[in-house]
Amino acid sequence: MDFKLSKEQEMIQKAAREFAEKSIRPIAGQIEKEGMIPAEIMQGMADLELFGIAYPEEYGGTGAGYVCYVLAAEQIAQASSSVAGVYSVHYLGTSAIASFGSPEQKAKYLPLAGSGEKISSFAFTEPGTGSDPKQITTVAIRDGDDYVINGVKRFISAAYLEGPIVIFARDSETGHPTALLVDKFCPGYSVSEPWKKIGLHGSKVVDVYLKDVRVPASAVLGPKGQGYQVLQAGISFGKVGMCAGSLGGMQAALDASIKYAKEKSHREGTIAKFPTIQVAIAKMAEKVEASRWLTYRLAWLADNTTDLISFAKMAAMTKAFVAEAGVDVARLAVGVHGSYGLMDDYEVSHIYCDAIISEQTEGVADMQRLITGGSLLR
Ligand SMILES: Cc1cc2nc3c(=O)[nH]c(=O)nc-3n(C[C@H](O)[C@H](O)[C@H](O)COP(=O)(O)OP(=O)(O)OC[C@H]3O[C@@H](n4cnc5c(N)ncnc54)[C@H](O)[C@@H]3O)c2cc1C
């Protein structure tokens, strides 16, 4: 067992940290206020080859792997959860293509996704359900050599940015959910105004309207009628990025709390002298450390495992723990800051809202526990 990062991993972590500190952190507030990530940030990440970091070189990636991806995403999330959010959903969609795509699909989509020219999305949730594939109502009706897709997808990240989107629809031949690859903004594709949510304002979610969207039969991703398998695997890889995002937020909350505790005066000293503050900081540090190693291990498994079922279980366990720890750490950080922690001007108030969101997305925490508990009790 070796807990030491390789030279390459250290280099990528350092490059991402420097970029996040120099280019993202100074405008993190602006990103939240304006609800958009400037093109220069996306370009800067593309220049560092971060979008293709986990994908094979033959498809335009760097082949550095998921551990490097997590190291980079963690640094980015420390500066802005929104930028990390878009980075993570892009990986969610692209991972499904990398895992299940035919050679033609990979050749068509991975190079552009890997260079950051196109941003991938992954659309499962509908107005009726976000957790249950049996309830999806979007349909893909076979028509000659094509499928015609109709339905509505809800709360879809990055669906307003050009690129591929993985759509889950019930196909007319098997009657089961099937994953299909669609180009965003093709005829029949449109999106709603962004939802107004409590945080992650720079990583918007929209509803996607699919009206007679026609795709060739070759757009099916993975086995027909087995969209659930694509969903489970895709979301499991997506959870690696979700955990890295939570981890970055937690570290930022801990750093801000240590700084605040050492600066906030109380009589002749600062609030850092209080045992209550010390215990809060210690609890935060414990959760950050535990989350970090669980997340790194999940990334290592993403690079090394071929057993997708075991990986899905580990991803569920890690995501439930890390997302909940993110909320705990953010709440403790707000406590260390007192009323200032509730103010918009203070970073920890945003981290808290972002952490609550992470707990509910890409698998609600309790649903993750049902996966873990169910497999342990089988
Ligand atoms: C910022 C953000 C980004 C998002 N991005 C995407 C995206 O890119 N793509 C996408 O497809 N979706 C996306 N979503 C949607 C999100 O993943 C879903 O909303 C989420 O999975 C929960 O679905 P739901 O809201 O329909 O809740 P439901 O599935 O209705 O669940 C509601 C509650 O019931 C519980 N519950 C549900 N079923 C069961 C069960 N069988 N047993 C026990 N308890 C159960 C859940 O734990 C939860 O507490 C995003 C949401 C947000 C807020």
Side-chain angles (χ1 to χ4, degrees), residues 21-282:
E21 283 305 311
K22 191 164 161 267
S23 304
I24 303 179
R25 184 175 285 284
I27 60 159
Q30 176 198 320
I31 290 173
E32 294 310 297
K33 234 171 238 133
E34 295 177 0
M36 59 167 290
I37 301 168
E40 309 86 80
I41 298 296
M42 302 299 273
Q43 187 54 52
M45 289 170 68
D47 292 344
L48 289 174
E49 300 185 315
L50 297 185
F51 290 111
I53 203 166
Y55 304 121
E57 287 171 74
E58 61 174 313
Y59 293 115
T62 66
Y66 274 89
V67 171
C68 288
Y69 163 56
V70 152
L71 293 170
E74 178 189 356
Q75 296 304 320
I76 286 164
Q78 279 189 51
S80 163
S81 302
S82 286
V83 177
V86 170
Y87 189 32
S88 170
V89 296
H90 172 66
Y91 259 84
L92 167 61
T94 315
S95 298
I97 303 173
S99 301
F100 291 96
S102 64
E104 294 74 29
Q105 287 171 333
K106 287 184 191 172
K108 179 175 175 194
Y109 291 109
L110 288 186
L112 291 170
S115 65
E117 280 169 71
K118 303 280 181 193
I119 299 296
S120 308
S121 291
F122 190 86
F124 171 76
T125 306
E126 297 188 352
T129 185
S131 312
D132 183 5
K134 290 220 165 89
Q135 289 189 64
I136 64 165
T137 57
T138 297
V139 288
I141 309 287
R142 186 73 190 237
D143 182 25
D145 290 339
D146 298 337
Y147 283 101
V148 179
I149 309 172
N150 278 287
V152 177
K153 293 290 175 185
R154 173 137 295 167
F155 303 145
I156 307 304
S157 303
Y160 50 92
L161 299 172
E162 293 269 354
I165 181 166
V166 180
I167 299 277
F168 291 88
R170 197 171 293 285
D171 80 79
S172 59
E173 290 154 305
T174 69
H176 295 298
T178 288
L180 297 117
L181 271 169
V182 172
D183 289 305
K184 291 180 249 183
F185 302 105
C186 64
Y189 179 101
S190 61
V191 298
S192 69
E193 285 297 309
W195 282 83
K196 292 194 176 106
K197 48 187 164 45
I198 60 168
L200 283 179
H201 298 296
S203 174
K204 292 182 282 201
V205 293
V206 293
D207 286 355
V208 173
Y209 308 117
L210 302 152
K211 186 150 183 12
D212 296 330
V213 169
R214 186 172 281 275
V215 291
S218 60
V220 169
L221 179 67
K224 189 166 50 180
Q226 291 185 35
Y228 186 65
Q229 198 187 325
V230 180
L231 175 73
Q232 280 306 327
I235 282 213
S236 300
F237 283 99
K239 282 170 191 158
V240 180
M242 288 293 291
C243 291
S246 295
L247 178 58
M250 273 185 245
Q251 184 65 57
L254 175 60
D255 293 346
S257 299
I258 293 172
K259 184 167 181 289
Y260 185 82
K262 286 176 162 178
E263 285 172 4
K264 174 77 197 239
S265 60
H266 181 266
R267 299 194 185 169
E268 284 79 45
T270 65
I271 61 166
K273 69 188 170 204
F274 293 130
T276 46
I277 298 293
Q278 289 170 13
V279 167
I281 297 285

